[in-house]
Amino acid sequence: MSAIICKNLSYTYPDGTQALRNINFQIEAQEKVALIGANGSGKSTLQFHLNGLIAQQSGEIWIGSQPVLPQSLKAIRTQVGFVFQNPDDQLFLTTVWDDIAFGPKNLGLKDPVLSQRVEQALLTVQLEPSVYGPRHPDCLSGGEKKRVAIAGVLAMEPAILVLDEPSAQLDPAARRRLIHLLHSLPLTQLIATHDLDLVLELCDRTLVLSEGHLVYDGPTYPLMLDPAFLQAHRLESPLSFQRAYCHLSDRPDSP
């Protein structure tokens, strides 16, 4: 059974902007899929449909065997964990422990199960519970905040992670830790990002949105080897590829 099915999804904002135009795809369980496109291409609008943050106007979204409908949102939101670009949008309590416990507590979990959930989530993102649990989120680095935000989602034990620009504003070391973390998680992942080097490392498959259209759904590596296609949709080749092109063009025997 597919983890995510999107059928003929279209969406128009109240100002008349058509953000999505007849989008169709499906994602299998434990696939890591990149979602890329220029600003305004519809990436966030598509992601917000997956757990009902935006209500469907036309088309269908299925999470496993459940359609995303008003009456199923409570169950859907336990299955689809959303990690926002800015972790400050998710961290709002006075300690890391309370932030991570917030979701499971609202599901009715109590100690000792609740504490086990929080501890395991922190350990999964490689943060020591006794050290980080009592800390105020404002005292964390950007990378630590990102990992705590992911831990808060993991504590809900979702089947699917939806991430918006997960590497944004991270220094190189924090970015590398994040890539290792996401690679290690045996969850379905849909990752919206402008970081195409991260896409190359994590995602065998990529979806490209352009002006609300799904213009590519296929393997990542051949896509990154097509700079003309990327440029046509206001994207650039990964930096690692750009460096390789520059190196080749600098050779004495290059044309």
Side-chain angles (χ1 to χ4, degrees), residues 175-185 201-202:
R175 176 182 175 276
R176 174 57 46 199
R177 283 193 294 267
L178 174 75
I179 290 172
H180 285 315
L181 169 62
L182 296 180
H183 188 270
S184 71
L185 295 175
E201 292 199 51
L202 276 177

Side-chain angles (χ1 to χ4, degrees), residues 90-103:
Q90 290 182 239
L91 307 178
F92 56 90
L93 294 175
T94 55
T95 70
V96 165
W97 186 277
D98 288 339
D99 259 314
I100 296 173
F102 181 80

Side-chain angles (χ1 to χ4, degrees), residues 138-203:
D138 287 347
C139 298
L140 304 177
S141 70
E144 289 167 343
K145 285 183 178 181
K146 185 76 73 171
R147 284 189 281 164
V148 170
I150 294 173
V153 172
L154 294 179
M156 298 289 288
E157 296 189 345
I160 298 167
L161 274 185
V162 178
L163 301 110
D164 184 16
E165 297 291 353
S167 63
Q169 300 178 336
L170 297 184
D171 64 33
R175 176 182 175 276
R176 174 57 46 199
R177 283 193 294 267
L178 174 75
I179 290 172
H180 285 315
L181 169 62
L182 296 180
H183 188 270
S184 71
L185 295 175
L187 301 173
T188 308
Q189 296 177 37
L190 181 63
I191 304 171
T193 183
H194 291 296
D195 184 347
L196 299 193
D197 291 279
L198 175 147
V199 171
L200 271 173
E201 292 199 51
L202 276 177
C203 303

Side-chain angles (χ1 to χ4, degrees), residues 128-143:
E128 171 56 45
S130 62
V131 174
Y132 285 90
R135 293 181 65 178
H136 195 291
D138 287 347
C139 298
L140 304 177
S141 70

Side-chain angles (χ1 to χ4, degrees), residues 69-149:
L69 297 171
Q71 59 268 33
S72 63
L73 287 184
K74 184 175 181 179
I76 293 292
R77 288 171 179 166
T78 66
Q79 293 300 303
V80 180
F82 201 106
V83 181
F84 291 91
Q85 176 176 343
N86 185 350
D88 289 330
D89 291 337
Q90 290 182 239
L91 307 178
F92 56 90
L93 294 175
T94 55
T95 70
V96 165
W97 186 277
D98 288 339
D99 259 314
I100 296 173
F102 181 80
K105 189 178 292 185
N106 281 341
L107 292 179
L109 270 64
K110 298 179 181 179
D111 283 333
V113 176
L114 178 63
S115 292
Q116 291 170 354
R117 285 271 191 106
V118 175
E119 289 179 7
Q120 185 56 54
L122 280 166
L123 291 171
T124 299
V125 300
Q126 299 180 338
L127 295 174
E128 171 56 45
S130 62
V131 174
Y132 285 90
R135 293 181 65 178
H136 195 291
D138 287 347
C139 298
L140 304 177
S141 70
E144 289 167 343
K145 285 183 178 181
K146 185 76 73 171
R147 284 189 281 164
V148 170

